[in-house]
Amino acid sequence: MSTCCMCHAVKRLFCGMGVHPTVYELDQDPKGKEMERALSRLLGNSPGVPVVFIGGKLIGAMDRVMASHINGTLVPLLKEAGALWL
């Protein structure tokens, strides 16, 4: 969502790494509420945003992204997906 602080944080993380993510702002999409409910179900009814997919693979919500960043598995996922070149 365009006003979500966690969404902003995950976008900044990726941009700071040199990754240019495709971002869907659900609050600006006519089907945004429907997509948010579907994402929430994928995550086991946890809050639906932000939800990150890398290379078409569901990574999860912000906690999973940050855990992957901290434990060093995020960069290999991004490289494998072709989103990060270095």
Side-chain angles (χ1 to χ4, degrees):
M1 299 225 199
S2 59
T3 59
C4 168
C5 64
M6 294 306 229
C7 297
H8 177 74
V10 78
K11 286 185 273 189
R12 295 283 302 161
L13 171 67
F14 286 128
C15 290
M17 297 172 76
V19 173
H20 301 287
T22 300
V23 177
Y24 296 93
E25 301 290 1
L26 299 183
D27 60 338
Q28 297 176 5
D29 190 296
K31 293 187 178 184
K33 286 290 183 191
E34 182 182 334
M35 288 188 280
E36 189 173 1
R37 284 190 296 274
L39 291 169
S40 181
R41 285 191 300 274
L42 278 175
L43 296 173
N45 290 321
S46 69
V49 291
V51 176
V52 175
F53 291 81
I54 297 176
K57 178 182 173 188
L58 174 64
I59 303 304
M62 182 69 168
D63 60 336
R64 296 284 184 165
V65 174
M66 292 309 295
S68 296
H69 180 55
I70 290 167
N71 71 24
T73 59
L74 183 59
V75 168
L77 286 171
L78 293 167
K79 285 182 178 178
E80 184 180 308
L84 187 63
W85 299 98
L86 299 173

